[in-house]
């Protein structure tokens, strides 16, 4: 936990402390289902999996070349007699005599009696006489049975996201179906009479509802099922019904806007009547206002209304909660050092996640911010590929100084 910094503003919670409190309020879902391996991409394993076979299941060649017994080279002046061929899926079926070798392809089983493979570029063939040039050590270019996994070894653990590599691993050990956690369902909506659908005409004082599109994109990239309830009118009855509907159909309810101290709409009023909600002021920029709690059986998170604030608080606060609910292990963000390519202005008091562009030059990693960092400027997220982390008590940072950078993960990228 973070002690109160003398430069911090009173009453503001550090985001690291907020994450700890948020995670303490949620549990991993218990519902699971069995799916075919072909349908398992991006799903979360709900059980540990062990290999039922050795991997590799037999000694096989790592090269195209010639398989032989290394001891046979000593009395043959490096010349062996070709006895046959071994291909992947079509092993050599004969019995080798001393001084003989087998032409072998990559992945083919190494014949009984052979312990070494010479790559073909380092051998010379003259009819059935094969000269082994500068032979390597015994066992060269042979992938031994069970050198990667033994039958019974744990392959993947519960909570693992099944990516392309994991699908290949499971196929390699013969797994055709897996038990995974069911997908979380997240319902979301926007409130406000000033919001208009994309493609319609704007009257004075109206804006397009962009946050729902960003939230939908974040949820899809996070592997969630989503339920878009649209724009809800500024009416207590309509907002109340929207919350009840969302909570009855989803595990999590997300809204954007209506959680600030000065909000004049009905969202906070209805939240107080329908759920157990806590309103927080976070020492984070962008994104100070945040609400969390429950509505019925559903978890509720209220994001700030500004577009960038909404995305940042989703990434830093909501996504860790969804990970835990989905059964995924918590993973601290990857932070790397980079030289600042232009100065940054900052007032002490809040942790800032400025949007940056990370690149490499002759001197190493360099980062520059995307320009103006206003919380309503969504183009700053579109241009960025990373967050520049600025500590709570940090002030202005000069060009050339080293800063911590968090490259965007698969949800934001």
């Amino acid at each position: 936990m973070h002690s109160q910094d003398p430069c911090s503003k009173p009453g503001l919670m550090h985001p690291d402390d907020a994450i700890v409190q948020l995670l303490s309020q949620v549990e991993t879902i218990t519902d699971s289902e069995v799916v075919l391996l072909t349908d398992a991409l991006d799903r979360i394993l709900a059980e540990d999996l062990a290999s039922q076979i050795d991997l590799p299941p037999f000694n096989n060649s790592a090269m195209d070349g010639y398989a032989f017994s290394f001891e046979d080279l000593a009395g043959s002046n490096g010349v062996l007699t070709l006895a046959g061929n071994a291909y992947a899926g079509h092993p050599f079926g004969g019995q080798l005599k001393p001084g003989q070798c087998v032409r072998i392809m990559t992945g083919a089983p190494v014949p009984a009696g052979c312990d070494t493979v010479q790559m073909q570029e380092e051998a010379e063939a003259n009819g059935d006489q094969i000269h082994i040039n500068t032979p390597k050590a015994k066992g060269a270019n042979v992938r031994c049975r069970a050198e990667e996994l033994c039958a019974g070894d744990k392959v993947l653990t519960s909570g693992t996201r099944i990516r392309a590599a994991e699908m290949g691993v499971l196929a390699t050990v013969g797994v055709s179906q897996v038990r995974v956690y069911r997908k979380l369902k997240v319902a979301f909506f926007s409130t406000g009479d000033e919001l208009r659908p994309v493609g319609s005409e704007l009257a004075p004082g109206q804006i397009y509802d962009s946050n729902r599109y960003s939230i939908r994109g974040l949820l899809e990239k996070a592997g969630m099922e989503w339920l878009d309830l649209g724009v809800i009118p500024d009416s207590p009855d309509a907002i109340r019904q929207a919350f009840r509907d969302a909570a009855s159909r989803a595990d999590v309810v997300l809204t954007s806007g209506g959680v600030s101290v000065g909000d004049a709409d009905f969202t906070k009023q209805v939240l107080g009547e329908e759920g157990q909600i806590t309103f927080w002021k976070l020492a984070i920029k962008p994104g100070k206002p945040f609400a969390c709690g429950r509505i019925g059986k559903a978890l509720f998170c209220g994001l700030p209304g500004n577009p960038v604030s909404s995305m940042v608080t989703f990434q830093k606060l909501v996504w860790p909660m969804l990970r835990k609910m989905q059964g995924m292990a918590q993973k601290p963000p990857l932070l790397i050092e980079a030289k600042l390519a232009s100065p940054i202005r900052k007032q002490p008091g809040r942790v800032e996640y400025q949007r940056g562009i990370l690149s490499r030059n002759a001197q190493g990693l360099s980062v520059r911010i995307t320009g103006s960092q206003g919380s309503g400027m969504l183009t700053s997220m579109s241009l960025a590929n990373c967050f520049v982390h600025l500590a709570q008590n940090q002030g202005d940072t000069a060009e050339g100084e080293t800063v911590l950078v968090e490259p965007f993960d698969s949800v934001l990228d």
Side-chain angles (χ1 to χ4, degrees):
M1 303 290 284
H2 288 76
S3 60
Q4 186 70 30
D5 189 277
C7 295
S8 65
K9 296 180 180 179
L12 299 185
M13 181 184 297
H14 193 283
D16 289 349
D17 297 333
I19 291 173
V20 172
Q21 289 199 30
L22 290 170
L23 292 179
S24 70
Q25 298 177 24
V26 301
E27 300 292 337
T28 298
I29 60 173
T30 58
D31 300 337
S32 64
E33 59 183 343
V34 176
V35 299
L36 294 174
L37 180 59
T38 50
D39 299 323
L41 185 65
D42 285 334
R43 300 299 298 272
I44 311 301
L45 272 178
E47 61 182 355
D48 294 343
L49 289 178
S51 178
Q52 298 182 357
I53 62 172
D54 293 335
L55 190 64
F58 48 81
N59 294 349
N60 68 90
S61 177
M63 296 283 180
D64 292 346
Y66 297 90
F68 54 90
S69 171
F70 193 78
E71 292 181 356
D72 286 351
L73 294 179
S76 65
N77 295 319
V79 178
L80 302 173
T81 301
L82 185 64
N85 299 293
Y87 299 96
H90 300 279
F92 174 75
Q95 185 71 36
L96 284 181
K97 298 177 181 179
Q100 289 185 324
C101 66
V102 170
R103 179 84 168 98
I104 193 168
M105 300 294 109
T106 302
V110 174
C114 297
D115 55 26
T116 306
V117 171
Q118 181 82 335
M119 60 190 302
Q120 62 184 13
E121 291 85 356
E122 296 179 358
E124 297 176 7
N126 184 12
D128 63 354
Q129 298 299 292
I130 310 300
H131 184 265
I132 305 297
N133 299 325
T134 58
K136 293 184 177 180
K138 180 179 178 179
N141 301 318
V142 174
R143 296 185 289 219
C144 295
R145 176 174 179 167
E147 71 176 21
E148 184 174 353
L149 288 172
C150 292
D153 285 350
K154 187 180 294 184
V155 182
L156 298 173
T157 58
S158 178
T160 298
R161 179 185 288 275
I162 302 174
R163 305 167 301 171
E166 284 75 19
M167 290 189 72
V169 168
L170 293 171
T172 299
V173 298
V175 173
S176 62
Q177 57 185 24
V178 292
R179 180 167 295 278
V180 296
Y181 288 108
R182 70 167 174 83
K183 287 188 175 184
L184 290 176
K185 180 174 285 188
V186 182
F188 59 97
F189 58 87
S190 298
T191 61
D193 291 339
E194 77 281 8
L195 301 177
R196 299 294 298 159
V198 174
S200 62
E201 293 292 330
L202 293 178
Q206 294 180 333
I207 58 174
Y208 290 122
D209 176 27
S210 63
N211 281 4
R212 276 178 35 247
Y213 292 89
S214 296
I215 290 172
R216 171 178 166 175
L218 291 166
L219 292 172
E220 286 196 0
K221 293 281 281 186
M224 305 291 122
E225 289 188 10
W226 51 268
L227 179 63
D228 183 356
L229 298 182
V231 179
I232 307 303
D234 271 334
S235 155
D237 290 339
I239 294 173
R240 181 175 291 104
Q241 185 56 46
F243 276 122
R244 291 176 178 177
D245 185 26
S248 68
R249 300 168 65 185
D251 302 291
V252 181
V253 178
L254 287 183
T255 62
S256 61
V259 296
S260 297
V261 173
D263 283 330
D265 57 35
F266 301 106
T267 303
K268 291 179 69 174
Q269 172 193 329
V270 174
L271 283 172
E273 297 168 353
E274 294 293 320
Q276 298 80 45
I277 310 298
T278 302
F279 296 91
W280 289 355
K281 296 179 184 178
L282 301 178
I284 182 176
K285 184 178 181 181
K288 181 170 68 173
F290 185 79
C292 66
R294 291 193 175 273
I295 300 174
K297 294 182 179 180
L299 180 72
F300 170 77
C301 290
L303 308 178
N306 285 321
V308 180
S309 301
S310 177
M311 293 191 72
V312 170
T313 50
F314 178 96
Q315 177 69 16
K316 305 309 295 184
L317 299 172
V318 177
W319 179 219
M321 298 171 68
L322 296 179
R323 287 180 63 93
K324 181 176 179 179
M325 293 180 70
Q326 193 76 14
M328 299 175 68
Q330 291 303 311
K331 184 174 65 174
L334 172 66
L335 298 178
I336 58 178
E337 292 185 342
K339 295 290 186 182
L340 195 57
S342 57
I344 288 179
R345 298 188 64 183
K346 178 187 180 296
Q347 291 290 329
R350 288 195 277 172
V351 177
E352 290 196 17
Y353 300 101
Q354 297 208 8
R355 281 69 70 200
I357 301 172
L358 180 66
S359 60
R360 178 179 292 277
N361 56 33
Q363 287 72 45
L365 292 176
S366 174
V367 65
R368 60 181 176 87
I369 61 171
T370 57
S372 180
Q373 297 289 295
S375 59
M377 296 183 175
L378 197 52
T379 52
S380 68
M381 288 294 295
S382 177
L383 294 170
N385 62 8
C386 67
F387 289 127
V388 179
H389 280 224
L390 301 173
Q392 185 173 2
N393 62 351
Q394 188 171 340
D396 295 343
T397 308
E399 178 180 347
E401 289 195 32
T402 299
V403 292
L404 285 177
V405 172
E406 177 187 349
F408 284 171
D409 65 7
S410 58
V411 175
L412 284 174
D413 195 4

